[in-house]
Every structure is written in C-alpha cells, then in structure tokens.
C-alpha cells in the first residue's frame, strides 16, 4: 500500500443548458429529471488530496483558508464515502484553489467536487472509470457529476424503480455535437448566495405551485436540446436554454418563502439580452442559483457582445467555450 500519497486534479465548472432543479432523493442526490450542460474552458478548480495516516481528522483548506464548518462537514462526509468503499481509514488534507468566487452561482461546487472526486478516488485507490467517478461526484454536489466530462454532457436521472438507484444516475458525454458555442459570464455579483441551492431546491419542490409544470417541460427540453445541438441550430439551443432557466427561476420565486436570486441588475441585463436579440444579435440568457447572467452566442461575435454587456452592466465579463474533462495533474508517493 502506498503511504503519504498526494494527488492533484483539475476540473472545470459546467453550465446547464437544461437545468437540474429538484431531487427525488436527498441522501443519494438523485434528480427528478435529466439535465444537459456545457463544461467550460475557464474558471478551473484545482484540488490536492494528501493522505495523512496517523491523523484523526481531515484538514480542509479552501483558497488557503481553513474551510468553515459546513464545507468541512460536506468534504469529510464525501471522503468517508470513499473510505467506506475502499476500506481505507487514512485521513486526508484537502487543498482546493478556485479561480472564481465560491457560492455565487458560478458552478464552483461542480468544479470543486469533480476535482475532489478524481483526486480522492485516485489517492484512496478506488479504481473508478469516468462513469463511476461521475456517480461519486454527484454525491458531493449533483451538478458536479457533469464536470467529470468535457464538452456537452447529459446527466441521466435514472429510473425511479432501478434496483440500484445510485448506479442508475450518472453523467455521459454527448459525442455527436459539433456546434461551436460561446458562453459569456457577466459577473454581476460575487458574494455568497443568500440561500444555498440545496435549501432553495428543496423549498421549491415542496412549495412551488409551478414546479410540476416546469419539470414536465424540462423532461421534453432535454431531448429537444440534444437534437438542436446535433443540428447545430443555435437559435433553438438558445430559445430552449433561456426558457428553461427563466422557468426554473419562476419556480423558485413562487416558493414559500420565495427564493429570489435575480437582482435588479440581473433583470436589467436579461432585458438587454432580449433587446439585442430584437435588433438581430444571436444572444440568449441563462442563470443559475445566483444573480449572475450567462449569455449564449456565436463564438465569432463573443468579444463584441461581451464588450457591450460589460459596458451596459459596468461589470467584468469572461468568455467561455466548451472545455475539457476533469484530469489528474500530478500523483506522488
Ligand atoms: O449541484 P448543485 O446542488 O449546486 O445545484 C445546481 C443547480 C443549478 O446550477 C441551478 C442548475 C444546474 O443544473 O447546474
């Protein structure tokens, strides 16, 4: 058995074009419907897992600072899951560095748990293929399962009557897509979101009168989005993505008490994206569990559109393209 193994992995965030919102199992993190995303080529997270035999607790550093109690608990539970499967007991030191603010709806948890899953599974010698890694990453943060893969990715919810529900729910790269898409992130706010996505999702499922209808539309949106991507039909991709994201926000805003991530600045930018479209630009918006707006557009137009969005919002923008799968960057004994 190797001692003092240190493993580093890198993973990128992904942004869903058809969203995951609503769990059917809180413990296993099983979603109510499939979702479909693009892994980005910007904002990576790098995580090192260093096994520390002899220690009695895990140590977690996020961007050089000891993790708060909640983050520490989530990461320790995640490592416990791997330890229980591998029969290993060693505690670990986890060091994560992000290139994007955490908890602002910029998918840092997706990149974070994908990098952690790969680094920790390798350090504990769990011997998992990419599909199994995606199942494992899902247990840290649902959307993280999609960041195991690059490009365009579908997360299969799995059948409710599957004999082993954990096995039934995993991500898969879609290899039949040739659409060249750009995504502009407008960093309207980088503070922590007021309500965690876990809590917001739960509240939406249990109290929003709109949720059932949005879920039914989402189940149709996944195959429709896949077909539009395959046809390289940007207008259909944009239309479905924007409608799906705005619908998701409507479900949370109609929860009790409401979950409101969209700020006046978000609404102003959403309106601007629609106004650009009216004058012939190919721009469509999507948003996640936070106030930031992401804009889909053709890559050739992205620098010009990003400059306009930066001028209108007075905030920085970043242009992303489809990015790579999670990968190991170093292993040492
Ligand atoms: O994986 P979580 O628990 O952070 O949930 C992410 C949910 C959304 O980002 C809003 C949608 C998605 O599919 O990524």
């Amino acid at each position: 058995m190797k001692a003092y193994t240190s493993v580093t992995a890198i993973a990128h965030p992904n942004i869903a074009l058809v969203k995951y919102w609503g769990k059917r199992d809180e413990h296993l993190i099983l979603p109510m419907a499939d979702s479909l995303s693009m892994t980005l080529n910007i904002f990576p997270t790098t995580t090192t897992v260093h096994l520390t035999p002899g220690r009695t607790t895990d140590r977690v550093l996020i961007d050089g600072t000891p993790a708060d109690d909640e983050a520490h608990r989530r990461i320790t539970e995640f490592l416990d899951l791997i330890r229980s499967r591998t029969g290993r007991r060693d505690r670990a030191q986890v060091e994560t560095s992000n290139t994007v603010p955490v908890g602002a709806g910029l998918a840092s948890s997706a990149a974070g748990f994908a990098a952690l899953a790969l680094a920790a599974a390798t350090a504990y010698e769990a011997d998992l293929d990419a599909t199994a890694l995606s199942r494992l990453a899902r247990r840290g943060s649902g959307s993280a399962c999609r960041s195991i893969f690059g490009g365009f990715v579908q997360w299969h919810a799995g059948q409710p009557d599957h004999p082993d529900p954990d096995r039934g729910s995993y991500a898969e790269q879609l290899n039949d897509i040739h659409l060249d898409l750009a995504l502009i992130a407008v960093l309207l706010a980088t503070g922590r979101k007021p309500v965690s996505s876990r809590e917001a999702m739960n509240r939406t499922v249990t109290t929003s009168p709109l949720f059932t209808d949005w879920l039914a539309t989402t189940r149709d949106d996944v195959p429709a989005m896949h077909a539009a991507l395959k046809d390289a039909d940007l207008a259909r991709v944009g239309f479905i993505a924007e409608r799906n994201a705005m619908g998701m926000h409507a479900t949370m805003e109609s929860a009790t008490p409401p979950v409101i991530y969209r700020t006046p600045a978000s609404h102003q930018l959403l309106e601007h994206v629609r106004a650009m479209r009216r004058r012939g630009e190919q721009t469509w918006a999507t948003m996640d569990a936070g106030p930031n707006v992401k804009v889909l557009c053709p890559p050739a137009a992205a620098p010009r559109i990003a400059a306009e969005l930066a001028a209108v919002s007075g905030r920085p923008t970043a242009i992303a393209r489809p990015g790579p799968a999670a990968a190991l960057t170093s292993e040492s004994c």
Side-chain angles (χ1 to χ4, degrees):
M1 199 155 54
K2 288 178 207 160
Y4 299 107
T5 306
S6 186
V7 180
T8 302
I10 186 168
H12 290 74
N14 69 81
I15 298 297
L17 304 176
V18 179
K19 305 291 181 189
Y20 147 58
W21 196 249
K23 296 181 183 65
R24 66 177 203 275
D25 185 315
E26 286 279 335
H27 175 64
L28 291 176
I29 312 198
L30 300 173
M32 289 186 166
D34 287 18
S35 53
L36 200 160
S37 60
M38 176 174 119
T39 299
L40 309 186
N41 66 343
I42 60 172
F43 300 154
T45 293
T46 304
T47 297
T48 300
V49 173
H50 181 75
L51 299 187
T52 53
R55 290 188 62 134
T56 52
T57 54
D58 297 309
R59 186 147 190 260
V60 180
L61 295 170
I62 299 179
D63 297 321
T65 309
D68 62 25
D69 289 350
E70 171 63 10
H72 191 275
R73 184 189 59 75
R74 273 179 81 178
I75 290 175
T76 298
E77 280 180 14
F78 189 76
L79 296 174
D80 284 343
L81 183 65
I82 302 173
R83 286 187 282 247
S84 71
R85 287 182 187 178
T86 55
R88 301 276 293 268
R89 302 175 100 140
D90 298 343
R91 295 283 154 176
Q93 168 149 323
V94 174
E95 283 178 58
T96 283
S97 58
N98 295 289
T99 50
V100 73
V102 175
L106 292 163
S108 59
S109 71
F113 274 104
L116 179 62
L118 178 55
T122 309
Y124 285 103
E125 298 176 284
D127 192 22
L128 302 179
D129 64 15
T131 306
L133 268 176
S134 80
R135 288 188 194 101
L136 175 65
R138 191 196 78 227
R139 300 288 296 273
S141 175
S143 56
C145 71
R146 299 184 308 233
S147 277
I148 294 295
F149 296 98
F152 295 92
V153 181
Q154 183 166 343
W155 174 10
H156 300 281
Q159 296 302 323
D161 56 358
H162 195 287
D164 182 352
D166 178 62
R167 255 192 96 69
S169 186
Y170 57 89
E172 181 186 23
Q173 182 166 16
L174 303 175
N175 292 318
D176 52 2
I177 293 163
H178 308 291
L179 175 67
D180 206 1
L181 186 61
L183 179 146
I184 303 167
V186 186
L187 307 183
L188 290 176
T190 51
R192 243 178 205 283
K193 59 185 108 177
V195 184
S196 72
S197 52
R198 202 166 275 214
E199 158 64 21
M201 225 179 260
N202 195 19
R203 203 186 290 173
T204 303
V205 173
T206 49
T207 67
S208 167
L210 306 184
F211 183 71
T212 313
D213 282 350
W214 176 80
L215 189 65
T217 311
T218 292
R219 291 197 167 117
D220 293 339
D221 281 350
V222 170
M225 175 61 78
H226 190 174
L229 287 165
K230 253 164 83 171
D231 294 348
D233 185 341
L234 180 59
R236 246 161 75 216
V237 168
F239 174 82
I240 298 167
E242 186 171 298
R243 185 186 58 182
N244 186 268
M246 297 305 111
M248 176 184 75
H249 279 270
T251 67
M252 44 180 117
E253 288 166 5
S254 58
T256 309
V259 179
I260 301 186
Y261 289 127
R262 296 193 281 197
T263 61
S266 319
H267 282 291
Q268 191 205 358
L269 209 57
L270 291 173
E271 178 47 36
H272 192 80
V273 170
R274 290 190 290 267
M276 289 175 90
R277 207 152 68 218
R278 285 196 292 274
R279 60 165 218 249
E281 289 284 14
Q282 292 195 289
T283 49
W284 291 270
T286 184
M287 291 180 70
D288 292 285
N292 296 304
V293 174
K294 296 112 191 179
V295 177
L296 302 169
C297 67
R304 178 170 51 76
I305 292 170
E308 179 169 337
L309 295 172
V312 165
S313 64
R315 300 290 304 166
T317 58
I319 300 174
R321 304 283 289 275
L328 292 171
T329 57
S330 80
E331 287 171 90
S332 57
C333 287

